[in-house]
PDB file of all heavy atoms in Angstrom:
ATOM      1  N   ILE A1018      17.905  72.120  -7.336  1.00  0.00           N
ATOM      2  CA  ILE A1018      18.631  71.742  -8.540  1.00  0.00           C
ATOM      3  C   ILE A1018      19.934  72.533  -8.598  1.00  0.00           C
ATOM      4  O   ILE A1018      19.920  73.770  -8.605  1.00  0.00           O
ATOM      5  CB  ILE A1018      17.809  72.028  -9.813  1.00  0.00           C
ATOM      6  CG1 ILE A1018      16.420  71.393  -9.726  1.00  0.00           C
ATOM      7  CG2 ILE A1018      18.565  71.530 -11.042  1.00  0.00           C
ATOM      8  CD1 ILE A1018      16.423  69.895  -9.710  1.00  0.00           C
ATOM      9  N   GLY A1019      21.044  71.812  -8.641  1.00  0.00           N
ATOM     10  CA  GLY A1019      22.331  72.430  -8.878  1.00  0.00           C
ATOM     11  C   GLY A1019      22.601  72.421 -10.368  1.00  0.00           C
ATOM     12  O   GLY A1019      22.548  71.365 -11.011  1.00  0.00           O
ATOM     13  N   THR A1020      22.846  73.592 -10.948  1.00  0.00           N
ATOM     14  CA  THR A1020      22.957  73.689 -12.399  1.00  0.00           C
ATOM     15  C   THR A1020      24.384  73.446 -12.877  1.00  0.00           C
ATOM     16  O   THR A1020      25.355  73.890 -12.259  1.00  0.00           O
ATOM     17  CB  THR A1020      22.483  75.065 -12.895  1.00  0.00           C
ATOM     18  OG1 THR A1020      23.246  76.095 -12.270  1.00  0.00           O
ATOM     19  CG2 THR A1020      21.007  75.253 -12.564  1.00  0.00           C
ATOM     20  N   LEU A1021      24.479  72.746 -13.994  1.00  0.00           N
ATOM     21  CA  LEU A1021      25.758  72.448 -14.623  1.00  0.00           C
ATOM     22  C   LEU A1021      25.845  73.201 -15.960  1.00  0.00           C
ATOM     23  O   LEU A1021      24.864  73.260 -16.701  1.00  0.00           O
ATOM     24  CB  LEU A1021      25.903  70.947 -14.866  1.00  0.00           C
ATOM     25  CG  LEU A1021      25.824  70.070 -13.612  1.00  0.00           C
ATOM     26  CD1 LEU A1021      25.941  68.593 -13.985  1.00  0.00           C
ATOM     27  CD2 LEU A1021      26.886  70.453 -12.603  1.00  0.00           C
ATOM     28  N   PRO A1022      27.018  73.745 -16.297  1.00  0.00           N
ATOM     29  CA  PRO A1022      27.157  74.593 -17.491  1.00  0.00           C
ATOM     30  C   PRO A1022      27.456  73.784 -18.742  1.00  0.00           C
ATOM     31  O   PRO A1022      28.574  73.782 -19.261  1.00  0.00           O
ATOM     32  CB  PRO A1022      28.342  75.491 -17.119  1.00  0.00           C
ATOM     33  CG  PRO A1022      29.203  74.603 -16.260  1.00  0.00           C
ATOM     34  CD  PRO A1022      28.253  73.712 -15.490  1.00  0.00           C
ATOM     35  N   GLY A1023      26.464  73.095 -19.247  1.00  0.00           N
ATOM     36  CA  GLY A1023      26.669  72.276 -20.429  1.00  0.00           C
ATOM     37  C   GLY A1023      26.743  73.099 -21.700  1.00  0.00           C
ATOM     38  O   GLY A1023      26.509  74.317 -21.700  1.00  0.00           O
ATOM     39  N   LYS A1024      27.060  72.436 -22.779  1.00  0.00           N
ATOM     40  CA  LYS A1024      27.053  73.044 -24.109  1.00  0.00           C
ATOM     41  C   LYS A1024      25.895  72.454 -24.887  1.00  0.00           C
ATOM     42  O   LYS A1024      25.850  71.248 -25.132  1.00  0.00           O
ATOM     43  CB  LYS A1024      28.379  72.766 -24.828  1.00  0.00           C
ATOM     44  CG  LYS A1024      28.456  73.399 -26.214  1.00  0.00           C
ATOM     45  CD  LYS A1024      29.798  73.124 -26.875  1.00  0.00           C
ATOM     46  CE  LYS A1024      29.871  73.750 -28.275  1.00  0.00           C
ATOM     47  NZ  LYS A1024      31.174  73.464 -28.929  1.00  0.00           N
ATOM     48  N   ARG A1025      24.937  73.297 -25.239  1.00  0.00           N
ATOM     49  CA  ARG A1025      23.720  72.854 -25.921  1.00  0.00           C
ATOM     50  C   ARG A1025      23.053  71.697 -25.173  1.00  0.00           C
ATOM     51  O   ARG A1025      22.606  70.732 -25.735  1.00  0.00           O
ATOM     52  CB  ARG A1025      24.013  72.472 -27.364  1.00  0.00           C
ATOM     53  CG  ARG A1025      24.461  73.658 -28.231  1.00  0.00           C
ATOM     54  CD  ARG A1025      24.672  73.298 -29.688  1.00  0.00           C
ATOM     55  NE  ARG A1025      23.504  72.615 -30.208  1.00  0.00           N
ATOM     56  CZ  ARG A1025      23.561  71.447 -30.851  1.00  0.00           C
ATOM     57  NH1 ARG A1025      24.717  70.834 -31.052  1.00  0.00           N
ATOM     58  NH2 ARG A1025      22.459  70.896 -31.299  1.00  0.00           N
ATOM     59  N   GLY A1026      23.021  71.838 -23.851  1.00  0.00           N
ATOM     60  CA  GLY A1026      22.301  70.880 -23.020  1.00  0.00           C
ATOM     61  C   GLY A1026      23.091  69.668 -22.586  1.00  0.00           C
ATOM     62  O   GLY A1026      22.556  68.821 -21.869  1.00  0.00           O
ATOM     63  N   ILE A1027      24.342  69.568 -23.001  1.00  0.00           N
ATOM     64  CA  ILE A1027      25.162  68.396 -22.667  1.00  0.00           C
ATOM     65  C   ILE A1027      26.334  68.831 -21.798  1.00  0.00           C
ATOM     66  O   ILE A1027      27.155  69.655 -22.218  1.00  0.00           O
ATOM     67  CB  ILE A1027      25.683  67.705 -23.938  1.00  0.00           C
ATOM     68  CG1 ILE A1027      24.503  67.185 -24.758  1.00  0.00           C
ATOM     69  CG2 ILE A1027      26.635  66.573 -23.592  1.00  0.00           C
ATOM     70  CD1 ILE A1027      24.907  66.518 -26.053  1.00  0.00           C
TER      71      ILE A1027
END
Side-chain angles (χ1 to χ4, degrees):
I1018 307 294
T1020 58
L1021 301 178
K1024 181 179 179 181
R1025 295 184 52 232
I1027 297 178

